[in-house]
């Protein structure tokens, strides 16, 4: 009886400790500079839910929560502040920009590596104009003790991926003006 109570208390303690360690992150990637090649069209940002992959290519990343709403707001804010389009919102517009995000966490040489992959499509009406793809990695710490040990490298990789993605879009400016 004593062993059963002790085991239950230990199990309860582990569950409470484990649940209390979840890193719920929020990111705010900002453009490094404003767009120099503005496109005089309105843009609807359509952001798909995040796909997360942990060590050994398993679905999910233990102790990490990154909400779809936070990702959607972060990308929308980034696009608005970059100023490449006359306006950016989640409402219907001249062009639709569909973005899918994948976060992969791996460990190499004792450090965590956070890789953000973005796949995007620019659509006018029902016609696909062009597809884009980018992938950026940020190196984190050797341990994931606190929320910032996940948030900082994820935000860094997302910002770099968005920079690369928008440079590709802006290079295709003539596709969206004509």
């Amino acid at each position: 009886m004593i062993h059963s109570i002790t085991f239950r208390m230990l199990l309860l303690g582990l569950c409470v400790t484990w649940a209390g360690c979840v890193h719920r992150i929020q990111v705010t990637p900002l453009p490094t500079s404003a767009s120099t090649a503005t496109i005089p069209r309105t843009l609807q940002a359509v952001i798909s839910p995040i796909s997360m992959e942990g060590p050994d290519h398993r679905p999910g990343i233990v102790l990490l929560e990154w909400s779809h709403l936070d990702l959607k707001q972060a990308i929308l804010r980034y696009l608005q502040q970059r100023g490449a389009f006359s306006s950016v919102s989640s409402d219907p517009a001249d062009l639709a920009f569909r973005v899918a995000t994948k976060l992969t966490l791996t460990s190499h040489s004792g450090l965590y590596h956070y890789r953000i992959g973005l796949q995007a499509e620019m659509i006018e009406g029902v016609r696909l104009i062009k597809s884009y793809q980018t992938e950026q990695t940020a190196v984190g710490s050797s341990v994931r003790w606190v929320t910032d040990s996940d948030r900082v490298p994820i935000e860094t990789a997302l910002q770099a991926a968005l920079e690369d993605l928008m440079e590709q879009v802006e290079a295709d400016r003539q596709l969206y003006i004509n």
Side-chain angles (χ1 to χ4, degrees), residues 33-164:
S33 62
S35 176
T36 57
T38 58
I39 300 165
R41 310 265 320 258
T42 59
L43 185 74
Q44 176 188 23
V46 180
I47 313 303
S48 298
I50 306 160
S51 169
M52 290 197 278
E53 197 172 273
D56 302 321
H57 306 288
R58 293 187 182 121
I61 299 173
V62 178
L63 303 178
L64 175 66
E65 238 180 63
W66 186 14
S67 75
H68 175 242
L69 179 61
D70 181 69
L71 174 68
K72 182 178 175 179
Q73 290 172 341
I75 292 175
L76 194 58
R77 268 190 315 268
Y78 177 91
L79 294 172
Q80 290 166 339
Q81 292 181 8
R82 180 141 180 133
F85 292 86
S86 59
S87 73
V88 178
S89 71
S90 55
D91 298 328
D94 298 335
L95 299 168
F97 194 49
R98 293 188 183 147
V99 181
T101 306
K102 182 174 184 178
L103 168 64
T104 306
L105 175 62
T106 57
S107 179
H108 299 290
S109 304
L111 297 173
Y112 286 101
H113 294 250
Y114 298 78
R115 185 173 58 241
I116 295 279
L118 298 177
Q119 290 185 313
E121 298 177 333
M122 189 69 76
I123 298 167
E124 184 173 23
V126 294
R127 182 177 66 94
L128 172 67
I129 300 173
K130 188 152 184 188
S131 295
Y132 299 93
Q133 188 168 346
T134 185
E135 193 172 273
Q136 296 291 328
T137 301
V139 178
S141 64
S142 60
V143 293
R144 296 176 56 221
W145 290 105
V146 295
T147 299
D148 274 356
S149 63
D150 281 332
R151 186 191 61 76
V152 171
I154 289 171
E155 184 174 275
T156 301
L158 179 60
Q159 180 175 357
L162 287 168
E163 292 284 326
D164 185 35

Side-chain angles (χ1 to χ4, degrees), residues 1-14:
M1 181 72 169
I2 298 292
H3 294 293
S4 176
I5 293 172
T6 304
F7 177 76
R8 287 183 190 168
M9 294 298 284
L10 178 62
L11 188 59
L12 179 62
L14 286 173

